[in-house]
Amino acid sequence: VPRVLYAEDLPVGRVFALGTWAVTIEDIKDFARAWDPLPFHLDDEAAAAGPFGGIIASGLHTQAILIRLGVESFTGQLAFIAARELRSMRMFKPVRPGETLTGTIEIEEQRLRDDGRAVIVYRSELADAKGEVVLRLVLDVLVNRQPAIP
Amino acid sequence: VPRVLYAEDLPVGRVFALGTWAVTIEDIKDFARAWDPLPFHLDDEAAAAGPFGGIIASGLHTQAILIRLGVESFTGQLAFIAARELRSMRMFKPVRPGETLTGTIEIEEQRLRDDGRAVIVYRSELADAKGEVVLRLVLDVLVNRQPAIP
């Protein structure tokens, strides 16, 4: 059983490495067909003629990869109560077939409250093989504090 | 061929009805297994014992439903250049199996620029059968202006 991450385990500046994810052309098209069926995610010819010169992953797909990586190494252990807000999400570079993305999470705020809960704000990023950030999002969540020892 | 939506077609206050989407238990589990495998989206017993008293959809899944509905009635026609930022996304109520969600988009800002482009900010929402908002997000995108008539 993995250790639970309580609010006290999440000081500002703590970093979680989320591992990597390889993005294939099949995955890009499958995801887009289901959830974001726009030509520049699906249609080779239309995408080649478009502003990106080829197929790029849906932003929602890229976000899904980051959420999925986060579950393995962070949210799956978190004493999670609720997500209050996704404060901001930006895509800095298009994600193309064949890329390998690496995820990280860094704690930005830790507000311990008297009601046994805490607000935790964290920044979550995916970077490409050059180390350049392709996606960044900031989440504000409610997390349980460590139970008092009886 | 559907008509293209240029920046000039998107005055503040214009509303787009996105239609409806039925959320099934199978879809909730399939989506969660792929992208957000937490017990309260996947495991009937664990979810029943948890704070929501049963399985709820992943927030990412709910967001995906909204994006998908938007493609049919809005983004699929948009003279889209790039998403600059998802400014905020909030979940107000959990989404449970069997619910039918209805989507809407409303234009919040229209900033026409001199370079042939415009910044459009729109609010996109999913409501449940009671008309209560379950998810709201605000997107800031770059859109082409209508080409000058030669």
Side-chain angles (χ1 to χ4, degrees):
Chain A
V1 180
R3 191 182 168 326
V4 175
L5 290 169
Y6 292 107
E8 284 80 353
D9 302 314
L10 306 170
V12 173
R14 184 168 176 191
V15 173
F16 295 82
L18 308 184
T20 62
W21 189 278
V23 184
T24 69
I25 182 72
E26 292 78 18
D27 289 347
I28 288 177
K29 290 184 179 180
D30 286 349
F31 190 98
R33 205 169 286 116
W35 299 111
D36 196 6
L38 295 172
F40 41 96
H41 306 314
L42 272 177
D43 179 328
D44 296 283
E45 281 183 35
F52 301 109
I55 283 191
I56 62 166
S58 162
L60 184 70
H61 184 191
T62 312
Q63 180 188 354
I65 291 168
L66 183 51
I67 302 295
R68 181 68 175 83
L69 286 174
V71 171
E72 309 282 351
S73 309
F74 183 72
T75 31
Q77 281 130 279
L78 198 59
F80 180 81
I81 301 168
R84 303 197 322 159
E85 185 176 14
L86 193 163
R87 280 198 192 166
S88 168
M89 183 171 80
R90 296 193 109 145
M91 289 222 57
F92 298 93
K93 296 177 72 176
V95 171
R96 297 175 190 278
E99 290 196 48
T100 297
L101 303 174
T102 302
T104 51
I105 281 174
E106 182 170 344
I107 308 300
E108 291 200 334
E109 288 181 48
Q110 179 203 46
R111 298 206 303 274
L112 305 175
R113 304 194 318 201
D114 292 336
D115 63 355
R117 302 173 162 198
V119 173
I120 300 292
V121 178
Y122 63 91
R123 188 175 72 244
S124 194
E125 292 180 344
L126 280 176
D128 63 13
K130 292 177 189 165
E132 292 173 351
V133 175
V134 298
L135 181 80
R136 174 181 297 148
L137 61 85
V138 178
L139 261 163
D140 173 328
V141 299
L142 208 55
V143 174
N144 279 312
R145 296 188 61 171
Q146 191 147 19
I149 294 158
Chain B
V1 180
R3 188 177 168 331
V4 175
L5 289 169
Y6 292 107
E8 284 81 355
D9 303 313
L10 305 170
V12 173
R14 182 166 178 191
V15 173
F16 295 82
L18 308 184
T20 62
W21 189 277
V23 184
T24 69
I25 182 72
E26 292 78 19
D27 289 347
I28 289 176
K29 291 183 178 181
D30 286 349
F31 190 98
R33 205 170 286 118
W35 298 111
D36 196 6
L38 295 172
F40 42 98
H41 307 315
L42 271 177
D43 180 329
D44 297 283
E45 283 183 34
F52 301 109
I55 283 192
I56 62 167
S58 162
L60 184 70
H61 184 191
T62 312
Q63 181 189 353
I65 290 168
L66 183 51
I67 302 295
R68 182 68 174 82
L69 286 173
V71 171
E72 310 284 349
S73 308
F74 183 72
T75 30
Q77 282 131 276
L78 198 60
F80 181 81
I81 302 167
R84 303 198 320 160
E85 186 176 14
L86 193 163
R87 280 197 191 167
S88 169
M89 183 172 80
R90 296 193 111 146
M91 288 221 58
F92 298 93
K93 296 177 72 177
V95 172
R96 297 175 191 279
E99 290 197 48
T100 297
L101 303 174
T102 302
T104 50
I105 281 174
E106 181 171 344
I107 308 300
E108 292 200 332
E109 286 181 48
Q110 179 203 47
R111 299 207 304 275
L112 305 174
R113 304 193 318 201
D114 291 335
D115 63 355
R117 302 172 163 199
V119 173
I120 301 291
V121 178
Y122 62 92
R123 188 175 72 246
S124 193
E125 291 180 344
L126 279 177
D128 63 14
K130 295 178 189 164
E132 292 173 352
V133 175
V134 298
L135 181 80
R136 175 181 296 147
L137 61 85
V138 178
L139 261 163
D140 173 327
V141 299
L142 208 55
V143 174
N144 279 312
R145 296 188 61 171
Q146 191 147 19
I149 294 157

